[in-house]
PDB file of all heavy atoms in Angstrom:
ATOM      1  N   ALA A 404      -5.729  68.261   8.526  1.00 95.00           N
ATOM      2  CA  ALA A 404      -6.956  67.764   9.149  1.00 95.00           C
ATOM      3  C   ALA A 404      -6.847  67.678  10.667  1.00 95.00           C
ATOM      4  O   ALA A 404      -7.865  67.745  11.370  1.00 95.00           O
ATOM      5  CB  ALA A 404      -7.298  66.395   8.565  1.00 95.00           C
ATOM      6  N   PHE A 405      -5.627  67.529  11.180  1.00 94.00           N
ATOM      7  CA  PHE A 405      -5.454  67.315  12.619  1.00 94.00           C
ATOM      8  C   PHE A 405      -5.014  68.578  13.361  1.00 94.00           C
ATOM      9  O   PHE A 405      -4.590  68.505  14.515  1.00 94.00           O
ATOM     10  CB  PHE A 405      -4.419  66.210  12.849  1.00 94.00           C
ATOM     11  CG  PHE A 405      -4.694  64.958  12.060  1.00 94.00           C
ATOM     12  CD1 PHE A 405      -3.822  64.544  11.066  1.00 94.00           C
ATOM     13  CD2 PHE A 405      -5.833  64.206  12.295  1.00 94.00           C
ATOM     14  CE1 PHE A 405      -4.059  63.395  10.329  1.00 94.00           C
ATOM     15  CE2 PHE A 405      -6.093  63.048  11.570  1.00 94.00           C
ATOM     16  CZ  PHE A 405      -5.207  62.646  10.578  1.00 94.00           C
ATOM     17  N   ALA A 406      -5.132  69.713  12.714  1.00 91.00           N
ATOM     18  CA  ALA A 406      -4.614  70.957  13.292  1.00 91.00           C
ATOM     19  C   ALA A 406      -5.274  71.310  14.621  1.00 91.00           C
ATOM     20  O   ALA A 406      -4.648  71.915  15.495  1.00 91.00           O
ATOM     21  CB  ALA A 406      -4.797  72.104  12.300  1.00 91.00           C
ATOM     22  N   HIS A 407      -6.531  70.930  14.800  1.00 89.00           N
ATOM     23  CA  HIS A 407      -7.266  71.321  16.009  1.00 89.00           C
ATOM     24  C   HIS A 407      -7.291  70.209  17.058  1.00 89.00           C
ATOM     25  O   HIS A 407      -7.963  70.347  18.083  1.00 89.00           O
ATOM     26  CB  HIS A 407      -8.697  71.712  15.641  1.00 89.00           C
ATOM     27  CG  HIS A 407      -8.772  72.866  14.693  1.00 89.00           C
ATOM     28  ND1 HIS A 407      -8.337  74.131  15.018  1.00 89.00           N
ATOM     29  CD2 HIS A 407      -9.212  72.942  13.412  1.00 89.00           C
ATOM     30  CE1 HIS A 407      -8.508  74.945  13.990  1.00 89.00           C
ATOM     31  NE2 HIS A 407      -9.043  74.250  13.004  1.00 89.00           N
ATOM     32  N   ILE A 408      -6.573  69.118  16.805  1.00 88.00           N
ATOM     33  CA  ILE A 408      -6.528  68.026  17.785  1.00 88.00           C
ATOM     34  C   ILE A 408      -5.352  68.249  18.724  1.00 88.00           C
ATOM     35  O   ILE A 408      -4.197  68.287  18.294  1.00 88.00           O
ATOM     36  CB  ILE A 408      -6.407  66.659  17.070  1.00 88.00           C
ATOM     37  CG1 ILE A 408      -7.705  66.361  16.312  1.00 88.00           C
ATOM     38  CG2 ILE A 408      -6.117  65.556  18.080  1.00 88.00           C
ATOM     39  CD1 ILE A 408      -7.688  65.044  15.579  1.00 88.00           C
ATOM     40  N   LYS A 409      -5.655  68.415  19.984  1.00 81.00           N
ATOM     41  CA  LYS A 409      -4.627  68.627  21.001  1.00 81.00           C
ATOM     42  C   LYS A 409      -4.837  67.587  22.112  1.00 81.00           C
ATOM     43  O   LYS A 409      -5.804  67.651  22.865  1.00 81.00           O
ATOM     44  CB  LYS A 409      -4.722  70.039  21.596  1.00 81.00           C
ATOM     45  CG  LYS A 409      -4.707  71.157  20.558  1.00 81.00           C
ATOM     46  CD  LYS A 409      -3.389  71.225  19.805  1.00 81.00           C
ATOM     47  CE  LYS A 409      -3.399  72.388  18.799  1.00 81.00           C
ATOM     48  NZ  LYS A 409      -2.157  72.401  17.991  1.00 81.00           N
ATOM     49  N   GLY A 410      -3.930  66.639  22.196  1.00 80.00           N
ATOM     50  CA  GLY A 410      -4.054  65.610  23.212  1.00 80.00           C
ATOM     51  C   GLY A 410      -4.986  64.490  22.782  1.00 80.00           C
ATOM     52  O   GLY A 410      -5.681  64.582  21.768  1.00 80.00           O
ATOM     53  N   ALA A 411      -4.986  63.429  23.583  1.00 79.00           N
ATOM     54  CA  ALA A 411      -5.677  62.206  23.193  1.00 79.00           C
ATOM     55  C   ALA A 411      -7.162  62.193  23.545  1.00 79.00           C
ATOM     56  O   ALA A 411      -7.858  61.240  23.211  1.00 79.00           O
ATOM     57  CB  ALA A 411      -4.997  61.002  23.843  1.00 79.00           C
ATOM     58  N   ARG A 412      -7.632  63.206  24.229  1.00 80.00           N
ATOM     59  CA  ARG A 412      -9.054  63.226  24.585  1.00 80.00           C
ATOM     60  C   ARG A 412      -9.863  63.822  23.437  1.00 80.00           C
ATOM     61  O   ARG A 412     -10.353  64.947  23.506  1.00 80.00           O
ATOM     62  CB  ARG A 412      -9.259  64.008  25.870  1.00 80.00           C
ATOM     63  CG  ARG A 412      -8.573  63.351  27.072  1.00 80.00           C
ATOM     64  CD  ARG A 412      -8.694  64.192  28.326  1.00 80.00           C
ATOM     65  NE  ARG A 412      -7.995  63.578  29.457  1.00 80.00           N
ATOM     66  CZ  ARG A 412      -7.867  64.148  30.646  1.00 80.00           C
ATOM     67  NH1 ARG A 412      -8.391  65.343  30.871  1.00 80.00           N
ATOM     68  NH2 ARG A 412      -7.217  63.523  31.614  1.00 80.00           N
ATOM     69  N   VAL A 413     -10.019  63.030  22.382  1.00 88.00           N
ATOM     70  CA  VAL A 413     -10.724  63.486  21.183  1.00 88.00           C
ATOM     71  C   VAL A 413     -12.203  63.148  21.326  1.00 88.00           C
ATOM     72  O   VAL A 413     -12.577  61.997  21.517  1.00 88.00           O
ATOM     73  CB  VAL A 413     -10.151  62.812  19.923  1.00 88.00           C
ATOM     74  CG1 VAL A 413     -10.853  63.359  18.678  1.00 88.00           C
ATOM     75  CG2 VAL A 413      -8.652  63.029  19.840  1.00 88.00           C
ATOM     76  N   GLU A 414     -13.034  64.175  21.270  1.00 90.00           N
ATOM     77  CA  GLU A 414     -14.472  63.969  21.408  1.00 90.00           C
ATOM     78  C   GLU A 414     -15.027  63.247  20.181  1.00 90.00           C
ATOM     79  O   GLU A 414     -14.527  63.405  19.067  1.00 90.00           O
ATOM     80  CB  GLU A 414     -15.178  65.321  21.560  1.00 90.00           C
ATOM     81  CG  GLU A 414     -14.766  66.106  22.794  1.00 90.00           C
ATOM     82  CD  GLU A 414     -15.183  65.405  24.081  1.00 90.00           C
ATOM     83  OE1 GLU A 414     -16.167  64.630  24.040  1.00 90.00           O
ATOM     84  OE2 GLU A 414     -14.533  65.632  25.124  1.00 90.00           O
ATOM     85  N   GLN A 415     -16.092  62.473  20.424  1.00 90.00           N
ATOM     86  CA  GLN A 415     -16.729  61.754  19.322  1.00 90.00           C
ATOM     87  C   GLN A 415     -17.280  62.722  18.269  1.00 90.00           C
ATOM     88  O   GLN A 415     -17.295  62.416  17.078  1.00 90.00           O
ATOM     89  CB  GLN A 415     -17.854  60.871  19.858  1.00 90.00           C
ATOM     90  CG  GLN A 415     -17.370  59.728  20.741  1.00 90.00           C
ATOM     91  CD  GLN A 415     -16.417  58.793  19.993  1.00 90.00           C
ATOM     92  OE1 GLN A 415     -16.707  58.332  18.897  1.00 90.00           O
ATOM     93  NE2 GLN A 415     -15.262  58.543  20.605  1.00 90.00           N
ATOM     94  N   SER A 416     -17.714  63.878  18.708  1.00 92.00           N
ATOM     95  CA  SER A 416     -18.225  64.881  17.756  1.00 92.00           C
ATOM     96  C   SER A 416     -17.122  65.365  16.820  1.00 92.00           C
ATOM     97  O   SER A 416     -17.373  65.636  15.636  1.00 92.00           O
ATOM     98  CB  SER A 416     -18.824  66.065  18.518  1.00 92.00           C
ATOM     99  OG  SER A 416     -17.849  66.672  19.370  1.00 92.00           O
ATOM    100  N   ALA A 417     -15.887  65.466  17.345  1.00 93.00           N
ATOM    101  CA  ALA A 417     -14.761  65.884  16.503  1.00 93.00           C
ATOM    102  C   ALA A 417     -14.430  64.813  15.474  1.00 93.00           C
ATOM    103  O   ALA A 417     -14.102  65.128  14.313  1.00 93.00           O
ATOM    104  CB  ALA A 417     -13.542  66.175  17.373  1.00 93.00           C
ATOM    105  N   ILE A 418     -14.512  63.534  15.884  1.00 93.00           N
ATOM    106  CA  ILE A 418     -14.278  62.438  14.938  1.00 93.00           C
ATOM    107  C   ILE A 418     -15.334  62.470  13.841  1.00 93.00           C
ATOM    108  O   ILE A 418     -15.025  62.339  12.651  1.00 93.00           O
ATOM    109  CB  ILE A 418     -14.299  61.082  15.673  1.00 93.00           C
ATOM    110  CG1 ILE A 418     -13.174  61.010  16.707  1.00 93.00           C
ATOM    111  CG2 ILE A 418     -14.174  59.928  14.668  1.00 93.00           C
ATOM    112  CD1 ILE A 418     -13.189  59.749  17.560  1.00 93.00           C
ATOM    113  N   SER A 419     -16.590  62.678  14.211  1.00 95.00           N
ATOM    114  CA  SER A 419     -17.683  62.725  13.227  1.00 95.00           C
ATOM    115  C   SER A 419     -17.490  63.884  12.257  1.00 95.00           C
ATOM    116  O   SER A 419     -17.713  63.736  11.043  1.00 95.00           O
ATOM    117  CB  SER A 419     -19.026  62.874  13.947  1.00 95.00           C
ATOM    118  OG  SER A 419     -19.298  61.732  14.732  1.00 95.00           O
ATOM    119  N   GLU A 420     -17.061  65.032  12.779  1.00 95.00           N
ATOM    120  CA  GLU A 420     -16.855  66.188  11.908  1.00 95.00           C
ATOM    121  C   GLU A 420     -15.767  65.918  10.873  1.00 95.00           C
ATOM    122  O   GLU A 420     -15.940  66.223   9.682  1.00 95.00           O
ATOM    123  CB  GLU A 420     -16.482  67.404  12.767  1.00 95.00           C
ATOM    124  CG  GLU A 420     -16.289  68.679  11.950  1.00 95.00           C
ATOM    125  CD  GLU A 420     -15.911  69.875  12.809  1.00 95.00           C
ATOM    126  OE1 GLU A 420     -16.030  69.771  14.054  1.00 95.00           O
ATOM    127  OE2 GLU A 420     -15.479  70.896  12.241  1.00 95.00           O
ATOM    128  N   LEU A 421     -14.648  65.335  11.303  1.00 96.00           N
ATOM    129  CA  LEU A 421     -13.569  65.011  10.368  1.00 96.00           C
ATOM    130  C   LEU A 421     -13.999  63.926   9.374  1.00 96.00           C
ATOM    131  O   LEU A 421     -13.677  63.987   8.186  1.00 96.00           O
ATOM    132  CB  LEU A 421     -12.335  64.557  11.139  1.00 96.00           C
ATOM    133  CG  LEU A 421     -11.564  65.639  11.884  1.00 96.00           C
ATOM    134  CD1 LEU A 421     -10.483  65.018  12.759  1.00 96.00           C
ATOM    135  CD2 LEU A 421     -10.940  66.625  10.899  1.00 96.00           C
ATOM    136  N   GLN A 422     -14.738  62.943   9.884  1.00 96.00           N
ATOM    137  CA  GLN A 422     -15.211  61.860   9.028  1.00 96.00           C
ATOM    138  C   GLN A 422     -16.082  62.407   7.897  1.00 96.00           C
ATOM    139  O   GLN A 422     -15.894  62.053   6.722  1.00 96.00           O
ATOM    140  CB  GLN A 422     -16.005  60.855   9.859  1.00 96.00           C
ATOM    141  CG  GLN A 422     -16.686  59.771   9.034  1.00 96.00           C
ATOM    142  CD  GLN A 422     -17.803  59.084   9.798  1.00 96.00           C
ATOM    143  OE1 GLN A 422     -17.979  59.305  10.999  1.00 96.00           O
ATOM    144  NE2 GLN A 422     -18.563  58.253   9.106  1.00 96.00           N
ATOM    145  N   HIS A 423     -17.031  63.252   8.222  1.00 96.00           N
ATOM    146  CA  HIS A 423     -17.952  63.781   7.216  1.00 96.00           C
ATOM    147  C   HIS A 423     -17.248  64.738   6.254  1.00 96.00           C
ATOM    148  O   HIS A 423     -17.547  64.754   5.052  1.00 96.00           O
ATOM    149  CB  HIS A 423     -19.125  64.488   7.897  1.00 96.00           C
ATOM    150  CG  HIS A 423     -19.976  63.555   8.704  1.00 96.00           C
ATOM    151  ND1 HIS A 423     -20.617  63.927   9.870  1.00 96.00           N
ATOM    152  CD2 HIS A 423     -20.282  62.245   8.525  1.00 96.00           C
ATOM    153  CE1 HIS A 423     -21.280  62.898  10.359  1.00 96.00           C
ATOM    154  NE2 HIS A 423     -21.083  61.866   9.569  1.00 96.00           N
ATOM    155  N   LYS A 424     -16.313  65.501   6.764  1.00 96.00           N
ATOM    156  CA  LYS A 424     -15.610  66.458   5.907  1.00 96.00           C
ATOM    157  C   LYS A 424     -14.732  65.746   4.885  1.00 96.00           C
ATOM    158  O   LYS A 424     -14.696  66.129   3.703  1.00 96.00           O
ATOM    159  CB  LYS A 424     -14.759  67.407   6.759  1.00 96.00           C
ATOM    160  CG  LYS A 424     -13.978  68.420   5.940  1.00 96.00           C
ATOM    161  CD  LYS A 424     -13.184  69.368   6.834  1.00 96.00           C
ATOM    162  CE  LYS A 424     -12.412  70.384   5.994  1.00 96.00           C
ATOM    163  NZ  LYS A 424     -11.644  71.317   6.849  1.00 96.00           N
ATOM    164  N   HIS A 425     -14.029  64.703   5.314  1.00 97.00           N
ATOM    165  CA  HIS A 425     -13.067  64.035   4.434  1.00 97.00           C
ATOM    166  C   HIS A 425     -13.605  62.719   3.852  1.00 97.00           C
ATOM    167  O   HIS A 425     -12.893  62.029   3.121  1.00 97.00           O
ATOM    168  CB  HIS A 425     -11.765  63.796   5.193  1.00 97.00           C
ATOM    169  CG  HIS A 425     -11.130  65.065   5.673  1.00 97.00           C
ATOM    170  ND1 HIS A 425     -10.554  65.980   4.821  1.00 97.00           N
ATOM    171  CD2 HIS A 425     -11.022  65.591   6.933  1.00 97.00           C
ATOM    172  CE1 HIS A 425     -10.094  67.001   5.521  1.00 97.00           C
ATOM    173  NE2 HIS A 425     -10.364  66.792   6.806  1.00 97.00           N
ATOM    174  N   LYS A 426     -14.849  62.408   4.169  1.00 97.00           N
ATOM    175  CA  LYS A 426     -15.593  61.296   3.560  1.00 97.00           C
ATOM    176  C   LYS A 426     -14.884  59.947   3.695  1.00 97.00           C
ATOM    177  O   LYS A 426     -14.799  59.164   2.746  1.00 97.00           O
ATOM    178  CB  LYS A 426     -15.896  61.598   2.093  1.00 97.00           C
ATOM    179  CG  LYS A 426     -16.824  62.796   1.909  1.00 97.00           C
ATOM    180  CD  LYS A 426     -17.282  62.942   0.470  1.00 97.00           C
ATOM    181  CE  LYS A 426     -18.263  64.095   0.314  1.00 97.00           C
ATOM    182  NZ  LYS A 426     -18.762  64.235  -1.069  1.00 97.00           N
ATOM    183  N   LEU A 427     -14.370  59.695   4.883  1.00 97.00           N
ATOM    184  CA  LEU A 427     -13.834  58.380   5.219  1.00 97.00           C
ATOM    185  C   LEU A 427     -14.803  57.689   6.175  1.00 97.00           C
ATOM    186  O   LEU A 427     -15.573  58.347   6.865  1.00 97.00           O
ATOM    187  CB  LEU A 427     -12.461  58.520   5.882  1.00 97.00           C
ATOM    188  CG  LEU A 427     -11.360  59.139   5.017  1.00 97.00           C
ATOM    189  CD1 LEU A 427     -10.099  59.341   5.846  1.00 97.00           C
ATOM    190  CD2 LEU A 427     -11.058  58.289   3.801  1.00 97.00           C
ATOM    191  N   SER A 428     -14.755  56.358   6.219  1.00 95.00           N
ATOM    192  CA  SER A 428     -15.597  55.644   7.168  1.00 95.00           C
ATOM    193  C   SER A 428     -15.175  56.009   8.588  1.00 95.00           C
ATOM    194  O   SER A 428     -14.043  56.447   8.830  1.00 95.00           O
ATOM    195  CB  SER A 428     -15.478  54.140   6.956  1.00 95.00           C
ATOM    196  OG  SER A 428     -14.179  53.690   7.332  1.00 95.00           O
ATOM    197  N   ARG A 429     -16.077  55.806   9.547  1.00 94.00           N
ATOM    198  CA  ARG A 429     -15.747  56.168  10.930  1.00 94.00           C
ATOM    199  C   ARG A 429     -14.569  55.337  11.430  1.00 94.00           C
ATOM    200  O   ARG A 429     -13.686  55.854  12.129  1.00 94.00           O
ATOM    201  CB  ARG A 429     -16.957  55.970  11.839  1.00 94.00           C
ATOM    202  CG  ARG A 429     -16.731  56.535  13.239  1.00 94.00           C
ATOM    203  CD  ARG A 429     -17.990  56.544  14.057  1.00 94.00           C
ATOM    204  NE  ARG A 429     -17.790  57.292  15.300  1.00 94.00           N
ATOM    205  CZ  ARG A 429     -17.894  58.602  15.429  1.00 94.00           C
ATOM    206  NH1 ARG A 429     -18.185  59.340  14.376  1.00 94.00           N
ATOM    207  NH2 ARG A 429     -17.690  59.204  16.592  1.00 94.00           N
ATOM    208  N   ARG A 430     -14.558  54.048  11.121  1.00 93.00           N
ATOM    209  CA  ARG A 430     -13.441  53.193  11.542  1.00 93.00           C
ATOM    210  C   ARG A 430     -12.125  53.724  11.002  1.00 93.00           C
ATOM    211  O   ARG A 430     -11.139  53.822  11.741  1.00 93.00           O
ATOM    212  CB  ARG A 430     -13.663  51.758  11.057  1.00 93.00           C
ATOM    213  CG  ARG A 430     -12.472  50.841  11.283  1.00 93.00           C
ATOM    214  CD  ARG A 430     -12.686  49.490  10.598  1.00 93.00           C
ATOM    215  NE  ARG A 430     -11.523  48.616  10.726  1.00 93.00           N
ATOM    216  CZ  ARG A 430     -10.469  48.651   9.924  1.00 93.00           C
ATOM    217  NH1 ARG A 430     -10.406  49.529   8.921  1.00 93.00           N
ATOM    218  NH2 ARG A 430      -9.458  47.824  10.102  1.00 93.00           N
ATOM    219  N   GLN A 431     -12.095  54.086   9.718  1.00 96.00           N
ATOM    220  CA  GLN A 431     -10.852  54.553   9.121  1.00 96.00           C
ATOM    221  C   GLN A 431     -10.445  55.916   9.649  1.00 96.00           C
ATOM    222  O   GLN A 431      -9.258  56.179   9.888  1.00 96.00           O
ATOM    223  CB  GLN A 431     -10.988  54.595   7.592  1.00 96.00           C
ATOM    224  CG  GLN A 431      -9.733  55.025   6.843  1.00 96.00           C
ATOM    225  CD  GLN A 431      -8.572  54.065   7.025  1.00 96.00           C
ATOM    226  OE1 GLN A 431      -8.717  53.001   7.630  1.00 96.00           O
ATOM    227  NE2 GLN A 431      -7.414  54.421   6.497  1.00 96.00           N
ATOM    228  N   MET A 432     -11.415  56.807   9.875  1.00 96.00           N
ATOM    229  CA  MET A 432     -11.084  58.123  10.413  1.00 96.00           C
ATOM    230  C   MET A 432     -10.516  57.993  11.818  1.00 96.00           C
ATOM    231  O   MET A 432      -9.562  58.696  12.187  1.00 96.00           O
ATOM    232  CB  MET A 432     -12.343  59.001  10.442  1.00 96.00           C
ATOM    233  CG  MET A 432     -12.058  60.473  10.696  1.00 96.00           C
ATOM    234  SD  MET A 432     -11.230  61.284   9.302  1.00 96.00           S
ATOM    235  CE  MET A 432      -9.637  61.648  10.032  1.00 96.00           C
ATOM    236  N   THR A 433     -11.075  57.077  12.609  1.00 95.00           N
ATOM    237  CA  THR A 433     -10.563  56.854  13.967  1.00 95.00           C
ATOM    238  C   THR A 433      -9.127  56.345  13.930  1.00 95.00           C
ATOM    239  O   THR A 433      -8.270  56.791  14.717  1.00 95.00           O
ATOM    240  CB  THR A 433     -11.453  55.853  14.721  1.00 95.00           C
ATOM    241  OG1 THR A 433     -12.799  56.368  14.779  1.00 95.00           O
ATOM    242  CG2 THR A 433     -10.953  55.634  16.140  1.00 95.00           C
ATOM    243  N   ARG A 434      -8.841  55.404  13.025  1.00 95.00           N
ATOM    244  CA  ARG A 434      -7.475  54.895  12.877  1.00 95.00           C
ATOM    245  C   ARG A 434      -6.509  56.030  12.522  1.00 95.00           C
ATOM    246  O   ARG A 434      -5.403  56.120  13.076  1.00 95.00           O
ATOM    247  CB  ARG A 434      -7.411  53.821  11.788  1.00 95.00           C
ATOM    248  CG  ARG A 434      -7.944  52.466  12.215  1.00 95.00           C
ATOM    249  CD  ARG A 434      -7.996  51.505  11.029  1.00 95.00           C
ATOM    250  NE  ARG A 434      -6.699  51.349  10.389  1.00 95.00           N
ATOM    251  CZ  ARG A 434      -5.745  50.529  10.806  1.00 95.00           C
ATOM    252  NH1 ARG A 434      -5.926  49.800  11.895  1.00 95.00           N
ATOM    253  NH2 ARG A 434      -4.599  50.430  10.152  1.00 95.00           N
ATOM    254  N   CYS A 435      -6.921  56.885  11.607  1.00 97.00           N
ATOM    255  CA  CYS A 435      -6.041  57.979  11.181  1.00 97.00           C
ATOM    256  C   CYS A 435      -5.808  58.980  12.310  1.00 97.00           C
ATOM    257  O   CYS A 435      -4.690  59.498  12.478  1.00 97.00           O
ATOM    258  CB  CYS A 435      -6.633  58.676   9.958  1.00 97.00           C
ATOM    259  SG  CYS A 435      -6.594  57.666   8.445  1.00 97.00           S
ATOM    260  N   ILE A 436      -6.835  59.250  13.098  1.00 96.00           N
ATOM    261  CA  ILE A 436      -6.670  60.138  14.252  1.00 96.00           C
ATOM    262  C   ILE A 436      -5.699  59.519  15.245  1.00 96.00           C
ATOM    263  O   ILE A 436      -4.821  60.206  15.798  1.00 96.00           O
ATOM    264  CB  ILE A 436      -8.032  60.428  14.902  1.00 96.00           C
ATOM    265  CG1 ILE A 436      -8.850  61.354  13.999  1.00 96.00           C
ATOM    266  CG2 ILE A 436      -7.854  61.054  16.286  1.00 96.00           C
ATOM    267  CD1 ILE A 436     -10.279  61.552  14.464  1.00 96.00           C
ATOM    268  N   GLU A 437      -5.823  58.230  15.497  1.00 95.00           N
ATOM    269  CA  GLU A 437      -4.899  57.555  16.415  1.00 95.00           C
ATOM    270  C   GLU A 437      -3.460  57.625  15.899  1.00 95.00           C
ATOM    271  O   GLU A 437      -2.525  57.835  16.684  1.00 95.00           O
ATOM    272  CB  GLU A 437      -5.338  56.102  16.601  1.00 95.00           C
ATOM    273  CG  GLU A 437      -6.622  55.978  17.413  1.00 95.00           C
ATOM    274  CD  GLU A 437      -7.148  54.551  17.508  1.00 95.00           C
ATOM    275  OE1 GLU A 437      -6.538  53.651  16.871  1.00 95.00           O
ATOM    276  OE2 GLU A 437      -8.161  54.332  18.193  1.00 95.00           O
ATOM    277  N   MET A 438      -3.277  57.459  14.600  1.00 96.00           N
ATOM    278  CA  MET A 438      -1.923  57.588  14.036  1.00 96.00           C
ATOM    279  C   MET A 438      -1.398  59.006  14.193  1.00 96.00           C
ATOM    280  O   MET A 438      -0.215  59.217  14.496  1.00 96.00           O
ATOM    281  CB  MET A 438      -1.922  57.170  12.563  1.00 96.00           C
ATOM    282  CG  MET A 438      -1.840  55.681  12.358  1.00 96.00           C
ATOM    283  SD  MET A 438      -1.672  55.194  10.619  1.00 96.00           S
ATOM    284  CE  MET A 438      -3.383  55.001  10.170  1.00 96.00           C
ATOM    285  N   ALA A 439      -2.269  59.978  13.975  1.00 96.00           N
ATOM    286  CA  ALA A 439      -1.851  61.377  14.126  1.00 96.00           C
ATOM    287  C   ALA A 439      -1.461  61.666  15.574  1.00 96.00           C
ATOM    288  O   ALA A 439      -0.468  62.371  15.837  1.00 96.00           O
ATOM    289  CB  ALA A 439      -2.982  62.307  13.676  1.00 96.00           C
ATOM    290  N   LEU A 440      -2.222  61.135  16.525  1.00 95.00           N
ATOM    291  CA  LEU A 440      -1.890  61.332  17.940  1.00 95.00           C
ATOM    292  C   LEU A 440      -0.538  60.708  18.270  1.00 95.00           C
ATOM    293  O   LEU A 440       0.287  61.321  18.969  1.00 95.00           O
ATOM    294  CB  LEU A 440      -2.980  60.712  18.820  1.00 95.00           C
ATOM    295  CG  LEU A 440      -4.345  61.410  18.807  1.00 95.00           C
ATOM    296  CD1 LEU A 440      -5.372  60.570  19.550  1.00 95.00           C
ATOM    297  CD2 LEU A 440      -4.247  62.800  19.433  1.00 95.00           C
ATOM    298  N   LEU A 441      -0.311  59.495  17.782  1.00 95.00           N
ATOM    299  CA  LEU A 441       0.972  58.828  18.033  1.00 95.00           C
ATOM    300  C   LEU A 441       2.126  59.624  17.432  1.00 95.00           C
ATOM    301  O   LEU A 441       3.207  59.722  18.029  1.00 95.00           O
ATOM    302  CB  LEU A 441       0.937  57.414  17.457  1.00 95.00           C
ATOM    303  CG  LEU A 441       2.190  56.553  17.690  1.00 95.00           C
ATOM    304  CD1 LEU A 441       2.444  56.352  19.184  1.00 95.00           C
ATOM    305  CD2 LEU A 441       2.051  55.202  16.985  1.00 95.00           C
ATOM    306  N   LYS A 442       1.899  60.189  16.257  1.00 94.00           N
ATOM    307  CA  LYS A 442       2.929  60.983  15.580  1.00 94.00           C
ATOM    308  C   LYS A 442       3.318  62.209  16.408  1.00 94.00           C
ATOM    309  O   LYS A 442       4.469  62.655  16.383  1.00 94.00           O
ATOM    310  CB  LYS A 442       2.418  61.424  14.199  1.00 94.00           C
ATOM    311  CG  LYS A 442       3.436  62.120  13.321  1.00 94.00           C
ATOM    312  CD  LYS A 442       2.826  62.354  11.935  1.00 94.00           C
ATOM    313  CE  LYS A 442       3.859  62.960  10.990  1.00 94.00           C
ATOM    314  NZ  LYS A 442       4.241  64.322  11.368  1.00 94.00           N
TER     315      LYS A 442
END
Side-chain angles (χ1 to χ4, degrees):
F405 309 115
H407 300 296
I408 292 180
K409 307 295 182 184
R412 296 176 182 175
V413 183
E414 298 294 334
Q415 294 300 310
S416 59
I418 298 175
S419 295
E420 182 180 348
L421 287 172
Q422 173 199 352
H423 295 147
K424 179 178 180 180
H425 300 290
K426 296 189 177 182
L427 297 174
S428 69
R429 189 171 189 84
R430 172 188 176 276
Q431 182 63 6
M432 193 70 247
T433 301
R434 283 173 57 83
C435 290
I436 288 172
E437 289 175 356
M438 278 186 269
L440 291 171
L441 183 61
K442 187 174 184 293

